């Protein structure tokens, strides 16, 4: 059997794939060269998971890789109708980011409840201003997105004493369906978005939904930027329909310096870093090698994405 060709859509630093020496012919490409190299690859590793190059290159002529793996939880950046319709298997990095993102959400909840942004601001200005802060325990949260990340967020918030409801695509034991979301949001102190980006979730947090939240409630998005209508969130904060928000993901990344979101009152902006802890790239590389072991041996691959739904089913 000929040695398979593994094509890597590069981003720095490159993945550590030394364990595949002699088992794969490893080639590297940037976005500009992807379309030309795709027909010659058996496997595509989308290491540059911020790139939309796969979506642009996939509809071209010639054969296509039998397997595509993206080093990210989301797959919206690479899916196109042609990829969704073909026999190519798509896998993702499910499992790598769950606990780090859950910890980041907990940090944001605590920071907003305890007014830490203003404490740091007052410290820089040498202002001594005593305030009262909010108790987190005993509050209510709704987490939208019932995958591993959403479930990890629920576990972490429950450890803080927060009563937490989980909302997914379909209702089942322990998971509310979409029809319950409005009712749950209206009662929640915290609304956490951790859903994948699909046709159904695009723009789901809009002016209507921000308008139904309590004036004391806060919103956090660690899912995908387009889940939120940013202008509606900015208006909700400016008019004090809600007390605060935190965004770690955006429609355009990096967030442009002239974006009005930088100056929205009571909004925490962070640069898509909620899942990135020390050593995360090594974990992603090791995960891919483990998946390659299974693919090479003809075993079923874990983390297979339902290309029509846009996420890994079964949770």
């Amino acid at each position: 059997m000929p040695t398979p060709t593994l094509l890597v859509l590069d981003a720095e630093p490159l993945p550590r794939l030394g364990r595949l020496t002699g088992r794969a012919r490893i080639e590297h490409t940037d976005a500009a060269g992807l379309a030309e190299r795709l027909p010659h690859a058996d496997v595509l590793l989308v290491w540059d998971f911020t790139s939309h190059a796969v979506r642009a290159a996939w509809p071209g002529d010639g054969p296509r890789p039998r397997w595509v793996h993206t080093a990210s939880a989301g797959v919206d950046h690479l899916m196109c109708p042609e990829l969704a319709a073909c026999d190519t298997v798509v896998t993702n990095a499910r499992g790598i980011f769950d606990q780090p993102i859950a910890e980041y959400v907990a940090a944001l909840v605590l920071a907003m409840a305890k007014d830490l942004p203003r404490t740091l601001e007052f410290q820089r200005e040498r202002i001594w201003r005593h305030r009262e802060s909010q108790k987190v325990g005993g509050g209510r949260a709704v987490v939208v997105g019932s995958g591993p990340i959403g479930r990890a967020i629920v576990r972490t918030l429950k450890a803080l004493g927060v009563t937490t409801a989980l909302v997914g695509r379909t209702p089942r034991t322990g998971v509310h369906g979409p029809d319950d979301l409005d009712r749950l949001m209206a009662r929640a102190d915290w609304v956490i978005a951790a859903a994948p980006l699909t046709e159904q979730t695009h723009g789901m947090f809009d002016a209507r939904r921000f308008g139904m939240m309590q004036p004391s409630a806060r919103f956090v998005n660690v899912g995908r930027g387009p889940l939120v209508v940013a202008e509606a969130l900015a208006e909700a904060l400016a008019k004090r329909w809600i007390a605060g928000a935190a965004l770690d993901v955006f429609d355009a990344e990096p967030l442009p310096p002239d974006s009005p979101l930088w100056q929205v009152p009571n909004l925490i902006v962070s640069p898509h870093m909620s899942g990135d802890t020390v050593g995360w790239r090594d974990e992603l590389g090791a995960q891919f090698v483990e998946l390659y072991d299974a693919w090479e041996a003809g075993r079923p691959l874990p983390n297979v994405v339902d290309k029509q739904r846009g996420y890994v089913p079964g949770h």
Side-chain angles (χ1 to χ4, degrees):
M1 179 179 176
T3 302
T5 297
L6 166 60
L7 181 63
V8 182
L9 179 59
D10 283 345
E12 293 292 341
L14 297 177
R16 297 181 180 180
L17 302 174
R19 283 176 50 193
L20 300 184
T21 301
R23 300 165 53 194
R25 183 184 300 105
I26 301 175
E27 299 181 356
H28 295 267
T29 186
D30 58 12
L34 180 62
E36 180 181 354
R37 290 177 175 269
L38 267 182
H40 310 290
D42 298 291
V43 179
L44 173 64
L45 169 57
V46 185
W47 190 247
D48 184 359
F49 52 80
T50 65
S51 172
H52 292 81
V54 175
R55 187 189 298 171
W58 196 271
D61 296 328
R64 288 295 180 261
R66 291 173 282 162
W67 168 35
V68 173
H69 177 77
T70 178
S72 61
V75 299
D76 50 278
H77 60 290
L78 57 86
M79 293 304 300
C80 61
E82 292 80 5
L83 176 53
C86 73
D87 294 334
T88 297
V89 175
V90 175
T91 57
N92 72 352
R94 182 174 183 243
I96 299 295
F97 302 106
D98 308 352
Q99 189 57 33
I101 291 178
E103 293 172 1
Y104 199 87
V105 168
L108 290 171
V109 166
L110 290 168
M112 286 189 281
K114 304 308 177 185
D115 201 20
L116 291 184
R118 279 208 303 169
T119 294
L120 295 174
E121 180 181 341
F122 289 152
Q123 179 183 349
R124 285 191 295 270
E125 297 175 3
R126 303 187 184 190
I127 296 174
W128 181 277
R129 184 170 297 171
H130 179 270
R131 286 110 57 219
E132 295 177 346
S133 65
Q134 178 185 348
K135 184 171 69 173
V136 172
R140 297 177 184 227
V142 54
V143 177
V144 183
S146 60
I149 292 172
R151 295 200 304 271
I153 293 170
V154 168
R155 290 193 301 271
T156 305
L157 292 181
K158 284 184 175 179
L160 294 175
V162 180
T163 299
T164 307
L166 185 61
V167 176
R169 185 174 183 266
T170 54
R172 52 202 183 276
T173 303
V175 179
H176 295 268
D179 291 344
D180 291 336
L181 179 56
D182 289 356
R183 172 179 60 84
L184 293 168
M185 283 185 64
R187 302 171 59 197
D189 301 295
W190 308 94
V191 177
I192 316 297
L197 180 61
T198 66
E199 291 183 4
Q200 291 72 34
T201 62
H202 192 286
M204 68 184 300
F205 296 102
D206 55 10
R208 183 184 70 84
R209 284 210 158 111
F210 291 127
M212 69 178 53
M213 291 173 63
Q214 300 182 88
S216 59
R218 295 178 174 92
F219 175 80
V220 176
N221 185 17
V222 289
R224 283 292 182 265
L227 299 178
V228 177
V229 180
E231 296 81 2
L233 175 60
E235 182 182 19
L237 289 167
K239 293 183 176 179
R240 298 186 179 180
W241 294 349
I242 61 176
L247 300 178
D248 187 55
V249 286
F250 303 87
D251 285 352
E253 296 183 5
L255 187 65
D258 60 352
S259 170
L261 291 176
W262 290 108
Q263 296 182 321
V264 171
N266 297 315
L267 175 63
I268 297 174
V269 170
S270 60
H272 202 153
M273 59 182 284
S274 60
D276 302 347
T277 52
V278 175
W280 65 286
R281 290 183 178 87
D282 290 340
E283 291 183 47
L284 287 171
Q287 181 189 53
F288 173 73
V289 171
E290 289 180 5
L291 266 66
Y292 191 93
D293 291 343
W295 180 81
E296 185 181 50
R299 300 194 303 270
L301 283 168
N303 293 7
V304 174
V305 173
D306 182 320
K307 295 187 290 183
Q308 302 304 320
R309 296 183 182 181
Y311 56 88
V312 179
H315 45 69

